[in-house]
Amino acid sequence: MLAPPPQTEPTLTRDDMGFVSKLVYEHAGIVIREHKEAMTRGRLARRVKALGLNSVAEYCAFLKTPAALDEIPELINAVTTNHTAFFRERHHFDHLRGDVLPRLIQERAARRGRIRIWSSACSSGEEAYSIAAVSREVIGHRSDLDFRILATDIDTDILDRAAAGLYPLDLFERLPGDLRPLLRLEGQAGRGEVRVSDDLKRLIAFKRLNLIETWPMKGAFDVVFCRNVFIYFDTPTKAAILDRFVSLIHPGGFLYLGHSESLPQPHPKLRLIGRTIYERTP
């Protein structure tokens, strides 16, 4: 009689928790708080099962070997939280739609100018497609503007989902009626899913980016969305990332933070102009 397959052991010792927390911090700058231990244990258990190991302890031992180099991104994917929604924190999109984009059009159209927006933790893509939706509504298909959205995230799995642009229909049915048409949906009959149109997809480049590593971007941005990201970092990491954001935002450009976030400390080149909306000063 065959022996039953080994069961995943969910135990996460204090030493294992400390090791995983240190590894995640070193590679992604993310701080795993003590109250997240149960969540972390469950997510590590999924990696244990995926790799055919017997316990979290065995997984942690594997992470200490040179062979685990390719597993580090999977670990980061496992412990990061990807919660988002279309037009989440609507006041940011109202500001972008009513104030920012009309002004940029007026400034840039006469000289065939460049407009760039960065969704710096795009998760499964809802934020980036919401930006694209209001931008397409305001800008249209003008040939006198070079408009693009960069959407980045550290999680490789979630980026694949974002690039596909395929979502459950009920996500859209919960949206206010005035927002649904902006997303230009294409139906998927019988699957309970819809796809964001190629017209919006063409505005977005999805790329993997770890915010504590080198940033390859050279040009400046007019708007940066960095929402519900700082909550995962300690104060020194937040301050360092904020300085890098500011260096890449045009004077007169904007930084949007999440509703529960604030600057780690006052910044001499940012001024608060609305609810979690900061303008880059000269």
Side-chain angles (χ1 to χ4, degrees), residues 67-279:
L69 186 62
D70 292 339
E71 175 61 19
I72 299 299
E74 297 296 339
L75 170 65
I76 303 302
N77 291 353
V79 301
T80 49
T81 298
N82 295 291
H83 175 70
T84 186
F86 289 101
F87 301 103
R88 187 182 186 189
E89 300 182 50
R90 179 170 175 168
H91 64 285
H92 289 154
F93 297 99
D94 290 340
H95 181 252
L96 179 68
R97 184 186 196 180
D99 297 322
V100 179
L101 290 172
R103 190 179 77 184
L104 289 172
I105 291 171
Q106 186 174 20
E107 290 175 359
R108 310 280 170 82
R111 48 192 173 87
R112 301 181 67 84
R114 178 180 181 274
I115 298 174
R116 291 293 184 272
I117 299 177
W118 180 13
S119 170
S120 67
C122 68
S123 186
S124 47
E126 287 93 327
E127 178 177 273
Y129 288 121
S130 299
I131 296 168
V134 299
S135 299
R136 180 61 87 202
E137 181 198 32
V138 177
I139 294 175
H141 293 82
R142 302 178 63 127
S143 60
D144 54 353
L145 289 170
D146 174 14
F147 177 84
R148 293 287 290 166
I149 299 163
L150 173 65
T152 65
D153 202 276
I154 193 172
D155 188 330
T156 51
D157 295 334
I158 209 74
L159 280 171
D160 289 340
R161 288 171 51 191
L166 188 65
Y167 299 97
L169 178 60
D170 64 354
L171 291 183
F172 300 97
E173 292 176 336
R174 294 197 295 265
L175 286 173
D178 64 317
L179 295 178
R180 293 180 206 170
L182 300 183
L183 287 163
R184 301 166 182 251
L185 304 178
E186 297 174 351
Q188 296 286 319
R191 295 178 56 182
E193 296 178 317
V194 286
R195 188 185 300 276
V196 176
S197 74
D198 288 342
D199 182 48
L200 294 186
K201 286 184 181 181
R202 282 190 287 268
L203 297 176
I204 307 169
F206 288 101
K207 303 288 184 182
R208 184 185 183 274
L209 181 70
N210 184 335
L211 287 174
I212 70 166
E213 294 179 351
T214 301
W215 296 2
M217 303 86 74
K218 304 301 182 186
F221 291 88
D222 299 289
V223 178
V224 172
F225 283 72
C226 179
R227 306 188 307 167
N228 307 301
V229 178
F230 281 170
I231 56 175
Y232 297 105
F233 299 129
D234 59 15
T235 298
T237 304
K238 285 190 279 192
I241 292 173
L242 180 65
D243 281 339
R244 296 171 77 185
F245 279 137
V246 171
S247 71
L248 280 179
I249 298 174
H250 281 296
F254 297 92
L255 172 67
Y256 298 130
L257 298 185
H259 70 279
S260 62
E261 296 175 312
S262 59
L263 299 182
Q265 58 198 33
H267 196 285
K269 292 188 176 181
L270 290 175
R271 67 184 183 98
L272 183 66
I273 64 162
R275 186 156 48 108
T276 56
I277 301 174
Y278 294 85
E279 183 176 16

